[in-house]
């Protein structure tokens, strides 16, 4: 009976051991990192699927192989890699453990990749029996890291056009594509863009404008990013730029400001298909964030310059208005003398005298000049607005001769007045100025008559 109980307990222990071993193997096979074990002679005792895939082998092909020789054919510069320098060998021999190493590992087909790995000694009964190694492929991470450093160094201290030119050159180089360009919208409608910098593989191309309709860029306003790995011209037959450049693939992103508004676009194209979508999109995101910040700064600076120009123009107009007001007041004083003397002449001359027509014309001219003076004073804002009830037909009729001379003989002036037009309450000087502005604008719109 005791023997049966011992056998039962032993069987149960063996089953639990098998279950734990199975669970442990499943755990090791499920991880995305490469994991392998070696004995003290550096022979492989275990290789998980992820590790074998990174090295280009089947797991069974690595068993019993010398892992130092398998993954360290040579250093990146082509020189030999002594076993004494290998962290895995040191973990087996000296118990050195846990240090993160960056090195080049070699695949079965003779290609290499950048990897991070750590080696930990396996200790059993206080004796080192081997080592376990964890490693991962950091090629994409290192490419992104180098591209970011290149972006920072290439654009350091640069602004405006110099910044954008450096950015597209660095981006094209990092992604290994022929074309890269950054664009901004030409209007609030955001239906057309103009390039700020275009890299063409061997140098910069001339800037150009294009409409978004029918191009892959059109979707970036809403989608944010767009990726077309091949057949670009077939998918977008109306897009002129890809056809002209012979582009087969496309990757683009919208450039958004801090409020989320799309300011422009960052686009790369190539004459060959693109295959690394995840890496390319992540890199485009990094470059796009920097481009968006610079584009926002550029547009804010342009808006500030425009505001300053408007302020200077307003100050000029204010100065002109002050000058016009001063001249108008001085001229008005002279007119008072002219109209006063002409009125005296009309009073002393006989009503039937043929000489009366001369002072009468002088007085009419003085009245017309006085009207112009009122307009100058209103323009300079030194004349108070005086609304009165006026008849617009009478004002237009009175201004006919003046307007006719103003537009010239090559344009016909016709009055079409409504006899039942109601009166309005307004400042007569301002109404006359409005009418004169309208007539002058119409004249300028008809240069040939």
């Amino acid at each position: 009976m005791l023997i049966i109980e011992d056998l039962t307990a032993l069987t149960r222990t063996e089953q639990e051991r098998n279950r734990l071993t199975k669970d442990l193997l499943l755990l090791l096979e499920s991880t995305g990192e490469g994991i392998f074990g070696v004995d003290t002679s550096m022979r492989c005792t275990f290789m998980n699927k992820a590790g074998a895939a990174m090295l280009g082998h089947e797991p069974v092909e690595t068993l019993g192989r010398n892992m130092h020789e398998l993954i360290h054919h040579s250093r990146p510069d082509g020189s030999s890699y002594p076993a004494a320098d290998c962290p895995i060998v040191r973990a087996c021999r000296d118990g050195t453990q846990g240090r993160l190493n960056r090195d080049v590992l070699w695949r079965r087909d003779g290609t290499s990749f950048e990897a991070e790995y750590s080696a930990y000694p396996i200790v059993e009964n206080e004796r080192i029996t081997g080592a376990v190694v964890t490693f991962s492929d950091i090629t994409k991470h290192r490419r992104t890291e180098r591209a970011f450093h290149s972006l920072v160094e290439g654009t350091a201290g640069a602004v405006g056009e110099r910044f954008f030119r450096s950015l597209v050159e660095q981006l094209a180089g990092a992604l290994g594509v022929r074309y890269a360009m950054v664009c901004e919208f030409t209007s609030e409608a955001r239906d057309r863009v103009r390039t700020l910098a275009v890299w063409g593989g061997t140098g910069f191309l001339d800037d150009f404008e294009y409409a978004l309709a029918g191009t892959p860029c059109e979707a970036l306003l809403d989608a944010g990013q767009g990726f077309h790995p091949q057949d670009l011209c077939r998918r977008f037959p109306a897009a002129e730029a890809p056809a002209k450049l012979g582009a087969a693939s496309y990757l683009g992103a919208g450039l958004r400001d801090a409020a989320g508004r799309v300011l422009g676009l960052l686009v790369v194209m190539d004459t060959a298909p693109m295959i690394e979508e995840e890496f390319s999109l992540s890199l485009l995101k990094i470059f796009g964030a920097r481009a968006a910040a610079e584009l926002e700064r550029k547009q804010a600076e342009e808006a500030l310059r425009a505001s300053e120009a408007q302020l200077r123009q307003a100050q000029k107009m204010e100065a002109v208005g002050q000058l016009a007001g001063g001249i108008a007041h001085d001229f008005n004083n002279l007119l008072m003398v002219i109209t006063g003397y002409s009125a005296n002449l009309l009073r002393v001359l006989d009503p039937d005298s043929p000489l009366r027509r001369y002072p009468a014309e002088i007085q009419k001219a003085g009245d017309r000049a006085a009207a112009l003076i009122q307009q100058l004073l209103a323009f300079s804002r030194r004349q108070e607005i005086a609304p009165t009830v006026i008849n617009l037909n009478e004002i237009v009729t009175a201004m006919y001769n003046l307007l006719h001379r103003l537009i010239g003989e090559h344009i016909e002036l016709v009055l079409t007045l409504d006899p039942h037009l109601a009166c309005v309450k307004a400042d007569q000087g301002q109404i006359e100025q409005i009418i004169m502005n309208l007539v002058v604008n119409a004249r300028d719109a008809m240069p040939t008559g």
Side-chain angles (χ1 to χ4, degrees):
M1 187 70 178
L2 182 60
I3 295 174
I4 294 175
E5 289 178 354
D6 290 343
L7 288 173
T8 301
L10 184 62
T11 301
R12 186 182 300 113
T13 302
E14 184 68 22
Q15 288 174 345
E16 290 178 355
R17 183 183 296 111
N18 290 338
R19 182 178 60 80
L20 289 173
T21 301
K22 182 179 179 182
D23 290 344
L24 178 59
L25 288 174
L26 182 62
L27 179 67
L28 293 175
E29 293 292 0
S30 300
T31 183
E33 284 194 327
I35 301 175
F36 65 84
V38 295
D39 60 19
T40 53
S41 299
M42 287 297 293
R43 291 189 300 268
C44 181
T45 58
F46 169 79
M47 175 72 71
N48 72 343
K49 291 181 181 179
M54 286 186 222
L55 297 172
H57 292 271
E58 292 295 330
V60 68
E61 294 175 343
T62 62
L63 297 179
R65 300 280 298 275
N66 186 304
M67 291 306 295
H68 172 71
E69 296 177 356
L70 187 71
I71 64 175
H72 290 314
H73 296 170
S74 62
R75 296 180 187 272
D77 60 5
S79 61
S80 62
Y81 200 125
D85 294 342
C86 179
I88 305 172
V89 174
R90 290 201 298 268
C92 292
R93 292 179 180 175
D94 308 328
T96 305
Q97 64 173 331
R99 192 177 70 176
L100 184 65
N101 302 276
R102 277 189 177 182
D103 214 330
V104 170
L105 303 186
W106 292 84
R107 300 186 182 94
R108 180 181 184 180
D109 61 4
T111 61
S112 62
F113 63 95
E114 293 183 77
E116 282 184 345
Y117 66 96
S118 298
Y120 302 86
I122 300 173
V123 180
E124 187 176 357
N125 297 326
E126 298 183 356
R127 184 173 64 89
I128 298 175
T129 60
V132 61
V133 178
T134 62
F135 66 101
S136 57
D137 186 343
I138 62 168
T139 303
K140 292 181 180 179
H141 172 74
R142 290 287 291 153
R143 283 179 63 188
T144 303
E145 193 176 74
R146 284 193 292 268
F148 180 74
H149 286 309
S150 178
L151 171 65
V152 172
E153 293 176 2
T155 60
V159 295
E161 180 183 1
R162 193 159 65 91
F163 169 85
F164 291 121
R165 287 169 73 91
S166 178
L167 180 134
V168 294
E169 182 181 2
Q170 300 293 339
L171 178 59
L175 291 178
V177 297
R178 185 174 180 83
Y179 303 108
M181 61 187 187
V182 61
C183 319
E184 68 175 346
F185 296 109
T186 59
S187 67
E188 289 295 326
R190 300 192 303 175
D191 56 353
R192 289 185 64 84
V193 294
R194 60 170 166 264
T195 61
L196 300 173
V198 185
W199 176 255
T202 57
F204 293 99
L205 305 181
D206 293 335
D207 289 320
F208 57 91
E209 290 189 16
Y210 64 96
L212 293 184
T215 72
C217 296
E218 187 176 18
L220 300 182
L221 299 180
D222 299 319
Q225 291 183 325
F227 181 63
H228 303 282
Q230 57 188 0
D231 299 330
L232 183 62
C233 293
R234 183 180 61 81
R235 293 186 181 194
F236 299 93
E240 296 180 4
K244 183 179 179 180
L245 298 174
S249 52
Y250 170 97
L251 179 67
L255 303 178
R256 299 180 181 272
D257 62 11
R261 186 172 63 96
V262 181
L263 302 177
L265 310 172
L266 183 61
V267 172
V268 296
M269 294 185 288
D270 198 21
T271 54
M274 295 185 196
I275 55 176
E276 296 184 280
E277 177 180 5
E278 183 181 353
F279 169 72
S280 299
L281 285 173
S282 65
L283 198 59
L284 194 71
K285 186 176 181 181
I286 295 173
F287 278 69
R290 187 68 183 88
E294 177 60 20
L295 186 55
E296 185 174 8
R297 185 205 64 78
K298 171 183 173 291
Q299 293 184 354
E301 189 177 85
E302 289 174 348
L304 177 60
R305 284 199 298 265
S307 298
E308 291 174 345
Q310 290 176 351
L311 176 60
R312 287 193 297 270
Q313 181 64 21
Q315 291 172 337
K316 289 179 183 178
M317 294 304 295
E318 179 66 22
V320 171
Q322 291 177 356
L323 178 62
I327 293 174
H329 275 293
D330 292 341
F331 191 54
N332 196 47
N333 293 334
L334 297 175
L335 282 177
M336 291 178 64
V337 176
I338 294 172
T339 56
Y341 276 103
S342 61
N344 288 337
L345 285 173
L346 288 173
R347 278 197 299 272
V348 300
L349 287 174
D350 187 78
D352 298 327
S353 173
L355 298 177
R356 285 182 63 87
R357 63 189 181 94
Y358 298 114
E361 288 298 323
I362 293 174
Q363 193 170 50
K364 286 180 183 179
D367 291 339
R368 288 195 296 269
L372 291 175
I373 290 300
Q374 295 304 315
Q375 292 178 18
L376 279 175
L377 290 173
F379 169 74
S380 67
R381 291 178 172 83
R382 298 181 64 175
Q383 172 71 33
E384 292 185 2
I385 305 301
T388 58
V389 177
I390 55 177
N391 185 300
L392 294 178
N393 285 343
E394 292 178 356
I395 291 177
V396 173
T397 303
M399 295 180 67
Y400 179 83
N401 291 332
L402 175 63
L403 295 175
H404 192 273
R405 288 193 297 271
L406 184 66
I407 63 176
E409 297 295 333
H410 64 298
I411 295 177
E412 183 181 2
L413 179 63
V414 179
L415 300 184
T416 305
L417 307 177
D418 182 358
H420 305 293
L421 187 65
C423 293
V424 298
K425 187 173 184 180
D427 181 84
Q428 182 171 338
Q430 287 192 331
I431 292 295
E432 289 174 347
Q433 186 172 349
I434 291 171
I435 294 172
M436 188 173 296
N437 289 342
L438 289 172
V439 170
V440 170
N441 288 341
R443 178 200 65 186
D444 294 341
M446 298 183 291
T448 60

